[in-house]
Amino acid sequence: MSIHLKTAWGHIRRVPFQALAAIFVLSITFFVITVISVLTYASGKALQYFETRPQIIAFLKDEATPEEVTSLEESLRSDVRISDVNYISKEEALEIYKKATSDNPLLSELVSPSIFPASLELSLVDLSFAEDVINEVKKLEIVDQVGFTASLGGEDTLTDVVNRLRTITWYIRIGGGAFAILLASTSFLVLIVIIGMRMTTRRGEVEILDLIGATPGFIRTPIILEAVIYSLIGVLVGWLLAFLLVLYATPTIISYFGEIPVLPRDTLQLFMLFGIILGGEFLMGLILALSGSILAVSRVKTR
Amino acid sequence: MLEVKQVTKSFGDIVALKDVSFKVDDGEFVFITGQSGAGKTTLLRLILRDLVPNEGEILFDGVDISKLPKKKVPKLRQNIGVIFQDFKVLNDQTVRENVEIALAVVGLPRQEWEARVDHVLQLVGLSERADLFPSQLSGGELQRVSMARALVVNPKIILADEPTGNLDWETADKIMDLFEKINKEGKTILMATHHKLIIDKMKKRVIELKAGTVLRSDKETKSDEANVKSDSHEAKKQKTNN
Ligand SMILES: Nc1ncnc2c1ncn2[C@@H]1O[C@H](COP(=O)(O)OP(=O)(O)OP(=O)(O)O)[C@@H](O)[C@H]1O
Ligand SMILES: [Mg+2]
């Protein structure tokens, strides 16, 4: 193996501009692929956030017993139109209020837990069910009032936001995917061209190795390795650049999006996300290099 | 170990070899001689399976190599050490690396390389030139690199095509001494040359080709008896002495 690596390195060193061209194209490809992956992840997360936000709040009467609440919660949970049910006690409601008014301590001191009713927050599978669900829940014994939180002020409803996000996500996936495929194809062609050139410039060497009994595998290995080296360097450089860019921008992104978790807040999780992307890209780079070089090598061999 | 049976090889209308037969035993030293174009190189290329005969068989250790499947050709070639008339060294590799590549080709473990390479470089007298590149060597030195590469894998047989072709007499003589030494160590050598002086001096078995046919060969009776010179008897004598 190491003699092949040595041979491959020898070739790379002798044609630094070809090597640079290959590495440049591959770096750009994997930079873009990394960025698109992160964007896809972020838009998916944002969509998920809005989709799973509670859209209906059923405030419960104070006289409702815990058993009644539990049984209601259970029956709502089994409703196919409702994706999630969350119980908020009086104390939790106060906590939420306090947090929301933390920059104005006077406001929070004025209230006592008793003025906040306990409530059930409902997330719907689809917002078209909202009206029916609200009407049904309103009729229940222990329910006091029902609020619809899915209007975000102005004319915007949550439905609009979700729909717009869906479109954006779709564009990112389709557009980004197409762009990534275009770049990957370019890299593939550049690799084939460079490996093809290598086969031609090495013809004399190939002939000698063939005559002293080298197997086709022995002859091809350094050439394929060369492609793999370009590819792996490309992955590493492209990924690293994108990673640094995201790391640099993370504080801004997080403060801009507030509680919408477009990027993992936890550093470890962020690293994991990038680790997974890197792993996928290594695999992709390997497949690109292997298929490209094997194709180029076999084309030249069958002259 | 090697038996050529009624081999015919033609390139289109040109008949390079016609009905050639001879046998080479283990440990023999055989010259193949004849005018330019007589078919010497063609014969060696057939044995290396670089060419396939139109007719006839070439048995190497009992196996007909002309019918060898393509996949088995590398293994055959790994058992043959070839010294090319035009050296065929890798120009971007040092002397040592040129020799090492043969060991890599046969898949010898790396830790055994150094001792082996040192040994053959010593044998051909290139120890001091090990780290030079081919462009820094003289013709005779390149010839010896080619030899070292052929020898290092310990092949069963050595094919040499005009190994003294473009060397002066003194250098050629030295190279021949080397071949003699290798042969004494038990290697079979098949050498194509038209260097009369060398053939006369070495007193080994000679197979003479003329226009693609065997004109004389010590072992086969096909050739013209009148052409067999005294040196062939001496070659036989020498062989029995060994
Ligand atoms: N690939 C080929 N295509 C066509 N003709 C060829 C080919 N190789 C050899 N020949 C012909 O076959 C004949 C024998 O060639 P070969 O190279 O074996 O001669 P040789 O004995 O080695 O000569 P020399 O002493 O000059 O090296 C020549 O007439 C040559 O032109
Ligand atoms: Mg010749």
Side-chain angles (χ1 to χ4, degrees):
Chain A
M1 193 64 177
S2 64
I3 188 151
H4 296 312
L5 211 58
K6 200 173 129 196
T7 313
W9 176 240
H11 296 153
I12 295 172
R13 236 184 11 198
R14 247 169 290 133
V15 285
F17 292 117
Q18 281 177 26
L20 273 182
I23 289 170
F24 265 31
V25 173
L26 283 152
S27 299
I28 292 168
T29 302
F30 285 104
F31 174 78
V32 170
I33 287 175
T34 311
V35 170
I36 288 171
S37 307
V38 172
L39 281 178
T40 307
Y41 173 88
S43 64
K45 278 287 172 195
L47 186 63
Q48 193 187 23
Y49 171 81
F50 282 107
E51 278 176 341
T52 58
R53 239 169 83 125
Q55 293 119 358
I56 294 169
I57 300 183
F59 295 102
L60 303 173
K61 290 178 179 157
D62 284 350
E63 60 264 33
T65 63
E67 290 78 30
E68 283 173 319
V69 174
T70 324
S71 85
L72 174 60
E73 211 183 320
E74 229 119 84
S75 76
L76 288 173
R77 232 180 253 287
S78 57
D79 192 318
V80 287
R81 298 167 299 180
I82 295 166
S83 61
D84 198 20
V85 180
N86 194 17
Y87 175 70
I88 311 280
S89 68
K90 282 171 168 295
E91 290 74 21
E92 285 166 338
L94 178 64
E95 278 307 307
I96 294 170
Y97 175 78
K98 272 188 178 160
K99 230 180 224 164
T101 58
S102 58
D103 28 340
N104 196 341
L106 202 64
L107 276 180
S108 50
E109 270 165 33
L110 279 173
V111 297
S112 81
S114 54
I115 73 159
F116 288 102
S119 59
L120 283 172
E121 294 183 343
L122 309 181
S123 308
L124 297 174
V125 173
D126 194 289
L127 282 175
S128 60
F129 300 131
E131 215 177 321
D132 288 348
V133 173
I134 289 170
N135 287 334
E136 284 167 36
V137 173
K138 255 184 190 163
K139 291 190 192 119
L140 295 168
E141 272 298 298
I142 56 166
V143 174
D144 184 14
Q145 266 186 326
V146 180
F148 184 52
T149 60
S151 77
L152 297 171
E155 298 293 294
D156 275 0
T157 64
L158 195 58
T159 325
D160 293 332
V161 173
V162 167
N163 283 342
R164 213 172 304 146
L165 263 178
R166 282 217 178 104
T167 319
I168 293 172
T169 312
W170 191 79
Y171 275 127
I172 290 176
R173 287 193 188 149
I174 299 297
F179 195 41
I181 288 172
L182 186 77
L183 277 174
S185 311
T186 313
S187 302
F188 187 71
L189 288 177
V190 168
L191 273 181
I192 289 184
V193 168
I194 289 179
I195 296 308
M197 281 161 84
R198 183 73 68 259
M199 288 302 289
T200 326
T201 51
R202 280 191 78 215
R203 187 154 286 169
E205 196 181 331
V206 168
E207 188 204 342
I208 293 170
L209 290 174
D210 185 46
L211 284 176
I212 65 172
T215 58
F218 184 96
I219 295 171
R220 291 170 189 187
T221 303
I223 298 172
I224 293 168
L225 261 180
E226 186 182 343
V228 170
I229 290 172
Y230 291 148
S231 193
L232 294 189
I233 293 177
V235 167
L236 217 57
V237 172
W239 174 86
L240 195 68
L241 287 179
F243 186 41
L244 291 178
L245 183 78
V246 171
L247 271 191
Y248 176 75
T250 298
T252 324
I253 293 170
I254 286 181
S255 74
Y256 180 80
F257 283 97
E259 56 180 306
I260 307 169
V262 286
L263 283 178
R265 244 154 252 257
D266 182 18
T267 323
L268 198 71
Q269 273 181 358
L270 187 70
F271 278 29
M272 228 156 80
L273 171 68
F274 271 89
I276 291 168
I277 293 175
L278 181 65
E281 287 179 349
F282 266 138
L283 198 70
M284 190 176 158
L286 209 61
I287 292 170
L288 213 67
L290 288 180
S291 52
S293 53
I294 288 170
L295 187 72
V297 165
S298 59
R299 272 184 64 92
V300 175
K301 262 284 170 175
T302 54
R303 61 204 130 111
Chain B
M1 86 162 327
L2 181 73
E3 190 173 0
V4 176
K5 278 177 161 173
Q6 287 152 4
V7 163
T8 297
K9 176 69 192 173
S10 46
F11 303 97
D13 292 340
I14 303 166
V15 180
L17 289 175
K18 205 176 157 209
D19 200 20
V20 170
S21 297
F22 62 89
K23 217 168 151 177
V24 177
D25 285 331
D26 255 337
E28 258 193 291
F29 193 139
V30 182
F31 283 112
I32 298 168
T33 185
Q35 290 173 352
S36 179
K40 304 181 293 290
T41 300
T42 305
L43 184 58
L44 294 184
R45 288 179 69 194
L46 284 168
I47 296 168
L48 193 60
R49 194 29 165 88
D50 193 22
L51 293 174
V52 187
N54 299 90
E55 277 170 49
E57 294 180 351
I58 300 171
L59 301 177
F60 186 75
D61 279 345
V63 180
D64 184 2
I65 60 166
S66 53
K67 294 194 179 60
L68 210 60
K70 212 175 167 179
K71 252 181 69 188
K72 292 194 173 162
V73 172
K75 195 80 213 144
L76 166 78
R77 290 182 182 167
Q78 287 172 20
N79 283 316
I80 302 175
V82 201
I83 298 155
F84 302 94
Q85 186 169 5
D86 55 353
F87 321 134
K88 291 205 194 296
V89 293
L90 303 170
N91 286 319
D92 47 27
Q93 313 253 314
T94 64
V95 169
R96 174 175 287 278
E97 286 165 342
N98 262 287
V99 179
E100 280 176 349
I101 199 90
L103 294 175
V105 162
V106 300
L108 195 83
R110 231 201 154 100
Q111 59 267 27
E112 293 174 42
W113 290 9
E114 198 178 335
R116 286 253 211 144
V117 174
D118 284 347
H119 174 246
V120 288
L121 287 182
Q122 176 93 39
L123 191 71
V124 300
L126 284 178
S127 297
E128 258 110 76
R129 309 269 191 282
D131 296 321
L132 295 185
F133 285 89
S135 59
Q136 297 167 303
L137 299 182
S138 73
E141 285 163 348
L142 285 173
Q143 192 70 70
R144 284 183 275 160
V145 175
S146 190
M147 254 179 110
R149 184 181 60 195
L151 291 173
V152 76
V153 296
N154 237 329
K156 289 184 179 168
I157 185 167
I158 289 171
L159 306 181
D161 194 2
E162 309 276 9
T164 55
N166 34 23
L167 303 180
D168 60 275
W169 165 245
E170 298 230 326
T171 317
D173 200 37
K174 268 192 215 148
I175 295 255
M176 289 317 296
D177 285 346
L178 249 174
F179 275 106
E180 176 102 64
K181 198 167 148 191
I182 296 157
N183 178 239
K184 285 232 172 74
E185 285 175 10
K187 295 252 180 306
T188 312
I189 297 175
L190 210 58
M191 183 184 295
T193 183
H194 37 205
H195 213 306
K196 268 262 160 331
L197 273 171
I198 285 176
I199 297 173
D200 290 345
K201 183 175 176 248
M202 297 288 286
K203 306 197 189 340
K204 303 284 185 192
R205 179 180 165 198
V206 177
I207 294 172
E208 188 173 347
L209 296 175
K210 188 174 181 187
T213 57
V214 177
L215 201 62
R216 67 171 166 130
S217 163
D218 304 327
K219 292 240 163 143
E220 313 300 313
T221 45
K222 264 176 99 46
S223 59
D224 190 352
E225 284 287 336
N227 269 331
V228 178
K229 286 188 205 155
S230 60
D231 62 8
S232 62
H233 294 297
E234 287 195 40
K236 266 184 187 159
K237 231 186 278 167
Q238 175 140 356
K239 200 168 180 298
T240 45
N241 286 345
N242 281 348

